[in-house]
Amino acid sequence: DSGVTQTPKHLITATGQRVTLRCSPRSGDLSVYWYQQSLDQGLQFLIQYYNGEERAKGNILERFSAQQFPDLHSELNLSSLELGDSALYFCASSVAWGVGYEQYFGPGTRLTVT
Amino acid sequence: GQQLNQSPQSMFIQEGEDVSMNCTSSSIFNTWLWYKQEPGEGPVLLIALYKAGELTSNGRLTAQFGITRKDSFLNISASIPSDVGIYFCAGLIQGAQKLVFGQGTRLTINP
């Protein structure tokens, strides 16, 4: 158990809908990262937050947004969902922002768009 | 974007054999991380490397940070069935602020 929690574990929704994925980082970690993993693909970095502020952006679509709250949990919002958004979404956390900090991953949310 | 070349893409071995996989890049890295992912689960951190030439072990796993800072390898000795999974390397490129992941090595073990 990495100490990172994600809810829900599974999510099935229809095209055009909007969903919210939630992540709680490990105790003491200030940085949260979101990744997308499509079937048999590697991990694609989406976005990073540190202590409530956005720090780095990857290949995140405009239909997707995220935020980190004062209690350090984070939410990833996916809107106008398309079939191609079906994937595993992982949250990771690390103690700080910057060089060399190990990232610990949560169990993921499997999103299926029908 | 920055690329990590991880090889091999897949391995089929017999139980008890040793395994070796590596990641290379044209970029210089400050950090190398090795993860293992099992189906439907999140990646689990196995080993972290922070200095060129560093050699670190975690049980039967050994990883090294290449001297040129452009590569890293992971060895698994005396493989067992629970070693099955996908192994990812990840690196922090000098001057960058986000990890770059390799495409993974899928390990299958025949008992």
Side-chain angles (χ1 to χ4, degrees):
Chain A
D1 185 351
S2 67
V4 179
T5 61
Q6 288 187 250
T7 56
K9 181 83 172 160
H10 301 278
L11 199 49
I12 301 175
T13 189
T15 55
Q17 295 298 305
R18 171 189 169 96
V19 297
T20 297
L21 313 183
R22 183 188 168 103
C23 167
S24 292
R26 294 187 318 158
S27 177
D29 284 0
L30 299 178
S31 266
V32 169
Y33 310 77
W34 286 97
Y35 291 87
Q36 179 192 57
Q37 186 178 43
S38 301
L39 189 63
D40 287 338
Q41 297 291 311
L43 288 152
Q44 298 297 318
F45 169 72
L46 296 177
I47 198 165
Q48 178 202 357
Y49 280 81
Y50 172 74
N51 206 20
E53 293 187 8
E54 182 185 307
R55 284 298 187 178
K57 252 185 178 177
N59 300 322
I60 188 166
L61 299 172
E62 285 193 10
R63 301 183 286 109
F64 296 0
S65 65
Q67 54 184 326
Q68 186 180 27
F69 294 87
D71 67 352
L72 301 177
H73 90 271
S74 178
E75 293 180 356
L76 179 67
N77 301 298
L78 315 176
S79 61
S80 303
L81 286 167
E82 302 174 359
L83 294 177
D85 297 328
S86 295
L88 273 165
Y89 290 84
F90 290 105
C91 167
S93 74
S94 67
V95 66
W97 169 73
V99 173
Y101 292 105
E102 302 155 13
Q103 294 184 21
Y104 293 87
F105 283 79
T109 293
R110 181 176 294 280
L111 174 66
T112 302
V113 182
T114 61
Chain B
Q2 294 94 4
Q3 291 268 330
L4 270 185
N5 300 309
Q6 185 171 351
S7 65
Q9 289 187 341
S10 59
M11 301 183 75
F12 298 84
I13 64 169
Q14 297 294 122
E15 184 177 350
E17 288 184 13
D18 295 345
V19 171
S20 185
M21 61 191 77
N22 68 81
C23 281
T24 61
S25 176
S26 57
S27 301
I28 292 176
F29 285 76
N30 287 332
T31 298
W32 285 100
L33 305 174
W34 284 93
Y35 290 89
K36 178 190 176 188
Q37 186 178 23
E38 298 186 22
E41 303 293 327
V44 174
L45 183 63
L46 300 173
I47 291 178
L49 302 160
Y50 297 105
K51 294 181 189 175
E54 182 180 352
L55 185 71
T56 297
S57 292
N58 177 6
R60 294 177 295 104
L61 277 62
T62 301
Q64 185 160 28
F65 195 140
I67 290 291
T68 64
R69 298 173 65 192
K70 295 182 179 181
D71 61 351
S72 177
F73 72 75
L74 175 71
N75 287 341
I76 305 173
S77 63
S79 59
I80 59 177
S82 62
D83 291 334
V84 165
I86 302 177
Y87 292 79
F88 289 99
C89 63
L92 190 65
I93 294 174
Q94 185 178 40
Q97 297 297 342
K98 49 194 182 201
L99 283 181
V100 177
F101 281 82
Q103 288 303 302
T105 295
R106 183 182 297 273
L107 179 62
T108 303
I109 298 176
N110 299 316

